[in-house]
Amino acid sequence: MVAVFSICICFYHNASFAQNADTNQVTEQHHNTDQKEEGDFDVAGTILDHIRDDHSWHLWGHTSVHLPVILKTDKGFEVFSSSRLSDEHHQPVVYNGNYPYKQIDGKIKVMNADGSINAEASKKVFDISITKNVVSMFITVFLLIFVFLGVAKAYKKAGVTSAPKGFQSFIEPIILFIRDEVAIPYLGERHVRFLPYLLTIFFFIWINNLLGLVPFFPGGANVSGNIAFTLTLALFTFVIVNINGKKDYWRHIFWMPGLSTGMKIFLMPIELLGVFIKPISLTIRLFANMTAGHILVLSLISLVFIFKAVSASAMAVPFTVFISVIELLVGFIQAFIFAMLSALYIGMAIEEHHEQDLVL
Amino acid sequence: MLLEINPLVLPDPGLMIWSTLAFLILLFVLGKFAWKPIMKAISEREQGINDSLATAEKVRAEMAQLKSDNEILLVQAREERAQILKEAKEIKDKMINEAKEQAKEAAGKIMADTQQAIENQKMAALIDLKNQVGNMVVEVSEKILRRELSNKPEQENYIKQLTNEIKLN
């Protein structure tokens, strides 16, 4: 995964070579804010534009869904359509609400009268817009609720004696997989309490990963490759771990038993750091893996425009398909790893140690 | 800013709020209406399967027990049959032997009776014969005596003729 990501970074750095590329088609398809001039193809800008959160959802050609912008400033809440922020050529324009707003690299900034960014005022703007990622996330939420309430109904209706049927028989092995491979090995007897959380987080990440792989509506949003999303989920695990942490868990952080006093003091900051590194590692792992996948797929497709030749697709398309298939696997594995590590961290926090086991 | 941070790695607080909201809704709804009944059903089914397997095992043991019981019964029945057959054969032999004995006895008795009857008949016939011979002798003697001395050769012929006439039946 790291290798994949670094390859993408290479693409990002090499992208400047490709900026002279000239394709009219591309200009129509990609409405970059930082296009050098008409006809230039900016690979890095295009890719970053695709994996970034957005205030509108591009469907096809010139058709986009403009999502509502919700801003909280010191003058109160403000709601307007994101269509006000761009003109008919998809170029950002200034919208005069409570402040003059303009979209710079996908973020809403307050502008000065002379057209420069008012950094101080921009900091006071709190953007809680319904963005592309938010919509995609709620599509996942409704999809999951729809599917699992249906499955739950099937269980209620068919009773417990009959074998699972239809979609139920597809879902049940996955549920059992999470229970038997994730929850029980790390949580043991107490898995019943945390299993709903693990199942929810697994399916939420997995379906978001899968929807992210679909190149068109309602997929295509890079939700699970967004650091805010992964950080939120990692914080959930962090809170659950530390709320359920038993006496032994805290003692192992602050006063490691079975060691000399000097070592105890030495280990204390390291262990304390570990408490925060765990959710950070969860955040970055999922974010980097999913973003890397998106960047890789987009880079391969961009090869066609970099080489300015349709024949390049002979190589680019099979590679894209290959990487997409791998990404299907990665999407599952990353969801599984997130759930597994969450279970592991919770298991470590709720474990009751026996003193003699730790004295070496 | 000293270090330019790529906006990609800067978490957007607005999105974090929405993520939290979305996840909490999902956790609540699925936890209450999906995971609970699903896990309950699955564990009930697993319990049911375990019970069924245990029952099947028990039934199997019972069947094996029943089978061995049957076999014992069968062996017993076979032995009994053999016993009965043996007894029947003995009885048959005995009956045949008895019948033979009886038949022999009866035959012996009949033979003895017959012999007796033959003997009796023979004796009666002999007595009769003796009587007849006596009569004939008397008759012949009488005739001879009547033709006395008339003709000597003729007399002798006559005796011969009479003698021929006598037929010992």
Side-chain angles (χ1 to χ4, degrees), chain A residues 105-116:
Chain A
D105 286 344
K107 300 255 190 256
I108 290 171
K109 303 281 184 195
V110 178
M111 308 304 286
N112 287 326
D114 60 351
S116 62

Side-chain angles (χ1 to χ4, degrees), chain A residues 4 12 40 74 91-92 99-100 136 138 161 164 171 184 195 284 290 294 296 321 336-337 344-345 358:
Chain A
V4 168
Y12 178 64
D40 270 5
D74 46 4
Q91 296 305 317
Y99 293 99
S136 181
F138 276 99
T161 46
I171 292 294
I184 291 175
L195 191 56
I284 293 174
M290 298 327 293
H294 280 87
L296 193 51
V321 172
F336 165 66
I337 287 176
L344 175 69
Y345 296 154
L358 292 145

Side-chain angles (χ1 to χ4, degrees), chain B residues 81-126:
Chain B
R81 189 192 65 169
Q83 186 70 31
I84 288 166
L85 279 175
K86 206 176 133 199
E87 276 170 14
K89 202 165 174 275
E90 274 169 11
I91 290 168
K92 181 192 81 175
D93 288 351
K94 207 173 140 203
M95 275 169 78
I96 288 170
N97 285 340
E98 268 173 16
K100 269 185 186 165
E101 288 296 315
Q102 277 176 359
K104 243 186 215 167
E105 239 169 62
K109 201 168 163 238
I110 289 165
M111 284 295 281
D113 287 353
T114 313
Q115 217 116 61
Q116 187 68 44
I118 288 169
E119 199 66 28
N120 288 348
Q121 290 287 323
K122 200 177 93 182
M123 289 310 287
L126 278 177

Side-chain angles (χ1 to χ4, degrees), chain B residues 44-62:
Chain B
E44 268 172 23
R45 187 168 62 216
E46 278 175 351
Q47 189 62 45
I49 288 169
N50 283 342
D51 288 354
S52 301
L53 284 176
T55 313
E57 186 60 32
K58 221 174 103 193
V59 168
R60 212 175 60 86
E62 271 171 16

Side-chain angles (χ1 to χ4, degrees), chain A residues 160, chain B residues 35-45:
Chain A
V160 292
Chain B
W35 304 133
K36 215 183 237 176
I38 289 173
M39 294 321 292
K40 191 165 156 265
I42 286 176
S43 64
E44 268 172 23
R45 187 168 62 216

